[in-house]
Amino acid sequence: MAKIMKAPGKDIQAANELDNLGKHVKNMGTKFLVIISKRNYGEIGSRIQSSLEENGYTCDFEMFGGECSLEEIDRLAAAGREKACDSVIAVGGGKAIDTGKAVAVRMDTTVIVVPTIASNDAPCSGLSVCYNDQGVVCKVIYGKRNPDVVLVDTEIIAKSPVRLFVSGMGDALSTYFEARACQASGARNYCRGTAPNTAIAMAKLCFDLLMKSGVEAYEAVQKGEVTSAVEDIAEADILLSGVGFESGGLAAAHAINDGFAQIPQAHGALHGEKVAFGTLCQLILEKAPAEEFDQVFQFCKAVGLPTKLADLGITEVKEEEIKAAAAAACVKTQSTKNLPFPVSEEDVAAAIYKADEIGRARA
Ligand SMILES: [Zn+2]
């Protein structure tokens, strides 16, 4: 299999960079469809409009409905066509960004992504995960290429809710370990190839930046301050983790995160929180050196990522639920199979119990 990687056309990151958006969209379009939530529309929307107009462009706004569904994508694409827009700007969190990327696919235009939180891997990837009315994944839409521009304004990220920022670190925490597992097994990444060394190096840098700057960034974001640590973590969470998962591949951590969908008690937990706990489980499955496990565990403790089931909302541990989660993490289509050794449902359940036991013992 060929080594293949994908990345955004341009990745731009700085405090207050949103006010320069219009300078970064040359040749991308002339009239932009801005997909944005009502909450972001006021201040962020007007800054986007000013910067575009200063640079000779126009835009039209469409409010994002809140879910990345096929109906929402069709509605926004129809609105974009009707308004004769020739490019899309997607503003917000993972769902708004995934929706905007899919709308650009439908309209066959360029897409500019402006994340307002650093809580997940959506901004840099070339795919959109769509959900049905029941909140279940129903389709993945792949773009011809990854976003043309990703613009990260770290001033906005630093003032986002702390829990979302921490969740982004949880999502980024798994990137290296999952890419490493895929490299060892030769598993396919999300570019229909295997990971080039470049993607593995990016995944490793992602982990190293978390270890170096994660705790400091956590403290800065509590005060809403942009520091060099916050810049490091924004880069790790958005660029390195985004490229790292798509081009490196996923393994048990994300599969276990998906498995937790089977446990209603965990429904309040965020994606990155479940992925962080899934990372601890993956390290147990891999029989990783104690030193490595401890480093990840201590990091989770230091920034408030889950280390035991109760932290995910699972206060009443039921055997049948853990069994269902482990089974869901091991179905054929799941990435647990990307580990470089065979893993059974029983192995995954045992790893979940073991991680929980360690977390409770060291609480
Ligand atoms: Zn993720």
Side-chain angles (χ1 to χ4, degrees):
M1 214 180 326
K3 291 178 178 177
I4 308 177
M5 74 173 282
K6 295 190 204 172
K10 235 194 294 192
D11 183 79
I12 301 155
Q13 182 185 309
N16 298 313
E17 196 61 21
L18 186 64
D19 299 316
N20 293 325
L21 177 70
K23 292 181 189 157
H24 298 301
V25 297
K26 202 170 179 211
N27 300 327
M28 305 266 168
T30 52
K31 186 178 183 188
F32 294 83
L33 175 72
V34 184
I35 297 171
I36 192 165
S37 68
K38 278 205 183 81
R39 195 170 57 81
N40 284 329
Y41 174 62
E43 199 217 325
I44 293 176
S46 63
R47 286 170 67 188
I48 288 173
Q49 185 165 10
S50 304
S51 183
L52 289 172
E53 286 174 359
E54 272 164 30
N55 289 277
Y57 305 107
T58 58
C59 66
D60 239 309
F61 288 88
E62 273 294 326
M63 295 307 128
F64 174 54
E67 185 56 275
C68 181
S69 64
L70 295 173
E71 294 73 31
E72 182 68 354
I73 292 163
D74 288 342
R75 178 184 76 80
L76 292 165
R81 280 193 208 100
E82 196 186 313
K83 292 169 174 176
C85 294
D86 53 7
S87 181
V88 174
I89 299 178
V91 186
K95 284 181 188 289
I97 290 169
D98 273 6
T99 302
K101 289 188 290 187
V103 170
V105 171
R106 288 273 197 277
M107 293 172 63
D108 198 16
T109 63
T110 52
V111 62
I112 292 99
V113 170
V114 180
T116 54
I117 50 176
S119 71
N120 56 67
D121 284 336
C124 289
S125 81
L127 52 88
S128 298
V129 182
C130 305
Y131 294 82
N132 63 18
D133 292 341
Q134 285 78 47
V136 176
V137 176
C138 63
K139 195 180 168 85
V140 177
I141 296 176
Y142 291 85
K144 269 191 259 182
R145 56 180 183 273
N146 289 38
D148 296 274
V149 177
V150 175
L151 186 143
V152 182
D153 186 327
T154 40
E155 180 70 32
I156 294 171
I157 300 294
K159 291 193 165 47
S160 66
V162 176
R163 187 180 170 199
L164 294 175
F165 185 80
V166 169
S167 174
M169 292 201 282
D171 202 11
L173 187 60
S174 75
T175 307
Y176 169 59
F177 300 108
E178 295 190 275
R180 183 176 75 176
C182 290
Q183 191 187 36
S185 66
R188 198 160 82 163
N189 61 15
Y190 291 85
C191 315
R192 306 183 79 79
T194 56
N197 293 313
T198 310
I200 303 295
M202 288 177 81
K204 181 64 169 51
L205 178 60
C206 177
F207 180 70
D208 291 345
L209 287 177
L210 285 173
M211 295 302 113
K212 175 176 160 246
S213 305
V215 176
E216 230 179 282
Y218 170 61
E219 287 161 2
V221 167
Q222 280 169 329
K223 293 180 262 179
E225 289 171 0
V226 183
T227 62
S228 63
V230 172
E231 294 280 356
D232 279 352
I233 297 305
E235 186 179 344
D237 287 4
I238 297 171
L239 177 61
L240 298 172
S241 183
V243 173
F245 104 79
E246 192 171 33
S247 299
L250 295 178
H254 268 78
I256 292 170
N257 153 78
D258 291 342
F260 282 128
Q262 304 298 319
I263 306 182
Q265 293 180 83
H267 286 181
L270 300 173
H271 173 72
E273 294 170 341
K274 290 180 281 183
V275 169
F277 188 79
T279 304
L280 293 169
C281 297
Q282 180 175 324
L283 291 171
I284 290 169
L285 285 167
E286 294 177 319
K287 300 187 174 65
E291 195 181 288
E292 189 172 66
F293 180 89
D294 289 346
Q295 188 184 18
V296 174
F297 182 92
Q298 292 306 340
F299 177 75
C300 289
K301 288 290 269 186
V303 300
L305 282 166
T307 55
K308 53 187 189 300
L309 290 169
D311 297 340
L312 293 170
I314 306 170
T315 47
E316 199 190 323
V317 180
K318 297 178 191 162
E319 201 188 324
E320 67 275 15
E321 286 187 344
I322 301 297
K323 213 172 162 216
C330 293
V331 296
K332 250 188 166 163
T333 48
Q334 264 301 353
S335 50
T336 300
K337 65 174 183 306
N338 293 345
L339 288 172
F341 46 86
V343 178
S344 67
E345 294 174 27
E346 291 73 27
D347 295 334
V348 171
I352 292 172
Y353 284 122
K354 182 76 189 162
D356 181 51
E357 188 192 312
I358 296 170
R360 282 185 291 114
R362 299 188 196 172

